[in-house]
Amino acid sequence: KQEVTQIPAALSVPEGENLVLNCSFTDSAIYNLQWFRQDPGKGLTSLLLIQSSQREQTSGRLNASLDKSSGRSTLYIAASQPGDSATYLCAVRNTGNQFYFGTGTSLTVIP
Amino acid sequence: DAGVIQSPRHEVTEMGQEVTLRCKPISGHDYLFWYRQTMMRGLELLIYFNNNVPIDDSGMPEDRFSAKMPNASFSTLKIQPSEPRDSAVYFCASSAQWGGGEKLFFGSGTQLSVL
């Protein structure tokens, strides 16, 4: 069974810093990997999706990379802002058509 | 499109009562997923449907839980009888036809409290 791990569980940075969130998965036979953002009391919002054939995706200040062979993905956030404070989850879609979620990284950006 | 729509947003009930959660997926999506989120266990997949047919319900915790999808635009998750340990946020999500590049879209969730 696919296992998805996110480290660290919590991260606190001063505003303006660049930061990296990590996601690792045990089974490299995936179709895609998706990064989500969840604000307190809200649902999950999709940020970026990387297909298994891709190495990275970018959206604004966000850049996600995928190394399928090593079972790793990173989410890079440039010039962090207080509005970036949220929980970030990664999810892997496997060949069995299920999505497996990590437990998330809680990010706090301090003004 | 309005996105995935769930109702109610909040549900407070007493132990032993029946609870029904509702979901309307995004039009054209043929995969529908029910998740439960708690602090202790994170996001857990309960069941998912493809073209209204349940494909995998191995995540449904007990016989007290049941889910239906009578048509492409509506699904329900029912708990009968409810117990305090069922208290959680229940999310519905939908995705388009299998092909590898489709995103998963979530509803806003139903916060369930069983007293």
Side-chain angles (χ1 to χ4, degrees):
Chain A
K1 180 185 172 181
Q2 179 76 269
E3 292 186 5
V4 182
T5 304
Q6 290 187 247
I7 295 174
L11 181 64
S12 183
V13 300
E15 181 177 2
E17 266 200 14
N18 303 325
L19 60 101
V20 174
L21 307 180
N22 297 293
C23 172
S24 61
F25 47 94
T26 55
D27 185 352
S28 61
I30 67 170
Y31 269 97
N32 63 43
L33 184 145
Q34 201 167 346
W35 282 94
F36 292 87
R37 168 186 174 136
Q38 185 175 28
D39 293 285
K42 300 292 179 65
L44 282 71
T45 301
S46 179
L47 297 173
L48 289 165
L49 179 144
I50 310 176
Q51 298 196 37
S52 61
S53 59
Q54 297 175 324
R55 299 282 295 183
E56 64 179 310
Q57 281 287 325
T58 298
S59 176
R61 294 182 294 107
L62 305 180
N63 175 276
S65 69
L66 174 64
D67 184 343
K68 204 171 66 164
S69 61
S70 67
R72 295 177 186 274
S73 175
T74 61
L75 178 66
Y76 174 83
I77 303 177
S80 58
Q81 303 171 359
D84 295 329
S85 298
T87 297
Y88 292 80
L89 297 96
C90 67
V92 169
R93 188 172 193 173
N94 74 349
T95 56
N97 204 20
Q98 291 190 20
F99 293 84
Y100 292 90
F101 281 82
T103 51
T105 294
S106 177
L107 172 66
T108 302
V109 180
I110 304 166
Chain B
D1 199 309
V4 178
I5 299 173
Q6 290 187 247
S7 64
R9 286 298 311 275
H10 299 90
E11 177 80 32
V12 180
T13 191
E14 293 187 348
M15 183 173 62
Q17 296 298 305
E18 177 179 295
V19 175
T20 300
L21 311 181
R22 298 172 177 79
C23 175
K24 176 179 168 53
I26 292 173
S27 177
H29 283 189
D30 44 13
Y31 284 89
L32 184 139
F33 303 80
W34 282 100
Y35 288 90
R36 177 171 67 177
Q37 187 177 43
T38 61
M39 289 291 293
M40 290 296 293
R41 300 172 70 94
L43 265 172
E44 302 174 276
L45 176 65
L46 300 176
I47 185 172
Y48 80 93
F49 296 82
N50 177 216
N51 290 322
N52 314 336
V53 176
I55 303 301
D56 186 349
D57 65 354
S58 60
M60 297 284 262
E62 301 170 30
D63 291 344
R64 299 184 297 106
F65 286 69
S66 63
K68 293 182 179 179
M69 192 166 185
N71 57 61
S73 60
F74 184 66
S75 177
T76 59
L77 178 67
K78 185 177 292 186
I79 308 173
Q80 167 63 21
S82 58
E83 297 183 2
R85 59 189 167 131
D86 301 330
S87 297
V89 181
Y90 290 80
F91 288 105
C92 176
S94 70
S95 179
Q97 174 63 34
W98 173 256
E102 292 74 24
K103 290 184 179 180
L104 186 62
F105 293 87
F106 278 78
S108 299
T110 295
Q111 174 76 61
L112 174 64
S113 297
V114 183
L115 307 177

